[in-house]
Each structure stands twice: as C-alpha cells, then as structure tokens.
Amino acid sequence: MSGRYSIFVALALVLSLGAAASAQSLPILPVPEPQPFQAISAPVQALAWAAEPDETGTPGGGPTSTEPTGPAREEPMAESSAEPPANQQAAPKSDAEKQKSLAAAAAAAYKGVYYDNQFDYLLDPAYRDWHLGESLKRNCVGGVGMLDIGGEYRARYHHEQNMRGLSLTGRDDDFLLHRTRLYGNLEVGDRFRVFAEMIDATSEFEDFAPRLIEENRADMLNLFGDYMLLDGGNGELWVRAGRQELLYGAQRTVSPLDWANTRRNFEGYKMFWRGADWDIDAFWVRPMNLRRDEFDTPDQSQQFTGIYSTYKGVEKQKFDLYYLYLGEDDAPTDFQFNTAGLRWEAEYGRWLVETEMAYQFGEYGTADHSEGAFTIGLGRKLAGMPWKPVLWAYYDWASGDEVIGNGYHHLFPLGHRYLGFMDLFGRRNIQDLNFLLTVKPKDRLTLTAWWHMFWLQDRNDVPYTVTMAPEVPTPGGSKELGQEIDLVADWAISPRQNLLLGYSHFFSGDFYSTNPSPPVYDGDADFFYTQYSLRF
C-alpha cells in the first residue's frame, strides 16, 4: 500500500502547483515551440460547429467517441505554406476565420490518450471562447514550467440480455458503470515533463460479478517522465520511463481500450522520434495486472516490446510498419509471439481505402506458431445525398489452428471497434464480412448502422472470446457463428460533452446448436446502453 500512497502524493503535488498557479494569477508564458506530444497515428476530431465535419464515416464512430474514430485521415493540405514575396504581405485572417480556427482547436484538444492533449490554442491572445476546465490549462509555474490539470467523468448504463460475462452465457443483467479520470501535466523548459493520471472505476446495481475491465478503485493509469535527448532539424528524439498507456495506428494491435471502464496500461520504457515525415516508437513494457482494491502491479511473467513506425510524407495517405513481440513464461502454456505488420490508408476523391495485414510466428508450448490476420476495407462518400452518408465494406480474417489456442493472437487491441459492439469474439479463428453506414442529420449528431456476419476460419478450431479464451472446449459443428446489428446515435452536446445511445442484437448462428460441447447457449442476445461523458 505504501507504493500507492507515494504515487498519490506525487500526483497531489502536481495538482497543488496548478491550484497555486491559478490562485495567484501567474502570468502565462509566451507561446512555446511545438511540443512532440501529438497523438500517435490518431485523427483530429474537430467538431462540426468548429470546422468542416469529417465525412469519412470511419469505424468507431459509436461507443468509443472519446477515442480516435477509426482509420486516421490526413487533414487537407493548405493551399500554400510558402512565404509571400518581399513586396507582398500575406492577407491577414479575418476575425471570423481566426475564431473558427481556434474553435476547431478547442474541439480537438482531447486525444485518445490524455498525455497527447493539446491546449496551446489558449495561449493565442485572440481566443475569446470558454470551455469547462480551461482555466486549469497552460498555467505558468515558477516562470520555468507549464501546467495542465484536467480529466473526465463518464457514466454508462448497460442492459445485457443473454450475454452477461464473456460471449453468449444465457444470463441477463442491468448495471451502471462510473469512471473518473484526473491528470496533471507539468512541462519544465523544452526538454522535460512529468505526467500523472489517476482513475477510479466502479460498477453498481449488477446481479452478477463485474467483469475484470469494469472496476479499478483509485489507481494510476499513467505516471511517467519524458526527456528530450536530441533536437534535430527534422524532428526530436525523446525517452519515456514509467507507467503509460499505448495507442498505435487504428488500434487493431495496441490500444488503451477506452470502451473498458478501466482502460489498459503498461509499465516500462519507450524511446520515440517525432519528425516531419516519420513517427517512430521503440518500447519495452510489461502489461499491468488489474486489481480492484489493490494497487496494480506489472505482470512479471509477460513482456511486450516492439517498434511501431508511421510515415506521413504523402498527402491523404498514411503507412504504418511494425514489429511486436509478446512473451509469456508462467502460464499453463507458455508462448512467444512475433508479429510483423503493415497498414495503409488513403483517400482518393470520394473513395476511401484501408488495409492492414500481419504475420505472426514463434512458439506456443511445444508447437510451432505460424499464423496471420488481415483487414481489407473500401469506403465511399455518397455525394449529393442528404445527411452526408458514408458507406464502408470490410472483410476481416484471422487464422485458427488445430491446436486449440495456437491461432492468431490479437495482442492488445480495441476489439470493440471492429468485431461488433457486443464484444462476443476475439480476433482469432474468425471471418467477418461487415458493412458500415454513417450519416449526419445534424452537424452535432452522427448515426451509425453496422452489420456483421461471422464465421469460423478453421472448422477444426473453436471461437474465442475477447480475452483469447476458447468459448467451447471441443471443435465441431457449423462454421456459422451468427450475425450482429449495431445501431448508435452519438450527440456531441458541446466540445466537452457527449451522449451515446446504442442498441445491438446478435442472431445466433448454427454453430451454437450443432457444436458437441455442452453447455452451449444457442439463443440470440441483446445489448442496450447509454453513455454520458464530460471532459474538463
């Protein structure tokens, strides 16, 4: 317990500095040089009243609205960034244009990981708007530092029918999830910063035991220090040590899992380069073991390491290349999984495309491990129609194996975004043909309809839950797992408030009535939820 209290003392010290700065009305520092803490492969989510709305209709526009909403899209290039001729001055922006730009920055300030939040728009003397919590951002501390304090409160109600637990269970439940996050970000000069973030997550009114990802009382999500090793002409090299969340690409392999009430984090080290064309991360961490009423500790039996790079040098395109290693040496079956992957997304006029593929090799117990997964998606903006509809078609595939548990391992993904909002399946031994439609009846309202059709990839293997556990012990029966319909309404009440309403239905397939392993629940399932989030 002493470790927990010492960390809370450190966080309290950071927050007290911010309170003192606000109380004494210390002067705001001049606008600093751009910092490297930009979101890693995460799109800007400017809200519609602040800028032109995003029409890509990309995956994830539903129950993960506080995170990047699907494949990242490059912002349109400015008409010209060149200096005007010596005898000609650039036309200044009108006040309306300036205010619109600042409003867009305010709407996009919160990122998928809060250590990437951007509040430098507050340092612009032209900014005249106000949003909750802004008085606690970009405050001078002792003339040498800059402090941000903020956080989030989120509440979500669940009505689950025949799905309480993992996958189809035949159990019903109604319950309420609460989550509070509070962070402090202290930047000292141009080379050093400390970031601390705590979380309190709880579940109430349930009939059955909460899932592991639903409760974590008064713990630390992030507690790390950053130091800049090199300030080069084309970028900066930084090193990070401590507890930290990780978010990469479209989050199919590495994600903080924002849909979970607790979020996912790690402890270890990271070195990262932020450049004009390339972002490159190299890290070595251990996953954290969640404990509801005790201080979380790293899992000493697992190590997760890798290199993740993103190339941004082509307009309206992005390329991700990565190598990731996950090893376990203290489980009923030890494993060493090496994953090499690439991802490409692009926009050509009204056509949108995204593909990601990964090859995985290594060992699973005494068996060789050679597996793979890929995603292919094609989207289209439907011009000339009301409500700005965008339609996507996706095919997801992940290999299975005759050795139960030796199929493709999805690592640490945001599976909730891509394999149905009911979280019935993990990315192993599965095929998913799905169609996504998003429309915007109003600038602040997005409606999503998503239809999934699931099959097993290998009849000699079984389906798996989101924790990579087999749903049944014995293969056999039909390959048809079923179909899922997801309907979501996402209302952006303000740049700091969101309201979600969602309903999902799973039509159980023939697998559940033909598999020989009892007990197997073979009925349909329903999921209704509503979520309110407030950031400050």
Side-chain angles (χ1 to χ4, degrees), residues 217-232:
R217 303 309 309 271
D219 220 309
M220 298 302 296
L221 275 179
N222 293 279
L223 184 61
F224 61 78
D226 283 349
Y227 183 76
M228 184 169 66
L229 298 175
L230 175 65
D231 184 1

Side-chain angles (χ1 to χ4, degrees), residues 1 55 59 63 78 83 162 192 196 204 240 250-251 253 258 266 289 334 344 352 372 398 400 422 495 502 535:
M1 296 297 291
E55 299 181 13
E83 293 292 329
N162 301 330
F192 179 71
E204 295 182 310
R240 174 174 298 165
Q251 304 185 68
T253 54
D258 187 64
F266 305 83
N289 282 322
D334 296 344
W344 170 61
L352 312 166
M422 299 177 78
R535 294 169 292 279

Side-chain angles (χ1 to χ4, degrees), residues 2-66:
S2 60
R4 167 180 287 192
Y5 292 139
S6 64
I7 290 179
F8 284 140
V9 168
L11 178 59
L13 179 61
V14 171
L15 299 183
S16 64
L17 288 172
S22 298
Q24 298 175 21
S25 300
L26 293 175
I28 294 178
L29 292 177
V31 178
E33 291 298 316
Q35 296 297 305
F37 312 119
Q38 298 177 356
I40 302 169
S41 303
V44 171
Q45 298 182 72
L47 298 180
W49 62 84
E52 288 298 316
D54 178 17
E55 299 181 13
T56 58
T58 49
T64 53
S65 62
T66 59

Side-chain angles (χ1 to χ4, degrees), residues 47 112 172 227 282 333 345 390 502:
L47 298 180
D172 305 342
Y227 183 76
T333 304
E345 64 175 59
V390 180

Side-chain angles (χ1 to χ4, degrees), residues 83-89:
E83 293 292 329
N87 60 350
Q88 178 183 350
Q89 293 185 353

Side-chain angles (χ1 to χ4, degrees), residues 205-218:
F205 312 119
E206 65 275 350
D207 293 326
F208 297 94
R211 300 176 179 92
L212 181 63
I213 62 172
E214 290 173 346
E215 289 197 303
N216 191 13
R217 303 309 309 271

Side-chain angles (χ1 to χ4, degrees), residues 127-241:
Y127 182 69
R128 298 193 298 268
D129 205 349
W130 178 89
H131 297 294
L132 183 65
E134 287 182 337
S135 62
L136 298 175
K137 311 294 192 299
R138 301 285 84 186
N139 285 311
C140 175
V141 177
V144 297
M146 190 83 73
L147 180 70
D148 298 330
I149 297 173
E152 173 203 51
Y153 171 74
R154 190 178 82 176
R156 188 169 70 230
Y157 163 75
H158 281 223
H159 169 75
E160 300 181 0
Q161 185 174 3
N162 301 330
M163 56 170 286
R164 183 54 161 147
L166 292 174
S167 193
L168 301 180
T169 60
R171 298 185 296 186
D172 305 342
D173 211 348
D174 293 87
F175 54 96
L176 183 64
L177 299 174
H178 295 274
R179 184 176 82 183
T180 303
R181 298 164 63 187
L182 181 65
Y183 75 86
N185 176 54
L186 178 62
E187 301 171 17
V188 181
D190 294 330
R191 289 185 172 269
F192 179 71
R193 79 155 173 173
V194 176
F195 184 87
E197 181 180 358
M198 65 168 292
I199 185 171
D200 186 73
T202 186
S203 175
E204 295 182 310
F205 312 119
E206 65 275 350
D207 293 326
F208 297 94
R211 300 176 179 92
L212 181 63
I213 62 172
E214 290 173 346
E215 289 197 303
N216 191 13
R217 303 309 309 271
D219 220 309
M220 298 302 296
L221 275 179
N222 293 279
L223 184 61
F224 61 78
D226 283 349
Y227 183 76
M228 184 169 66
L229 298 175
L230 175 65
D231 184 1
N234 295 320
E236 297 174 341
L237 180 64
W238 291 76
V239 63
R240 174 174 298 165

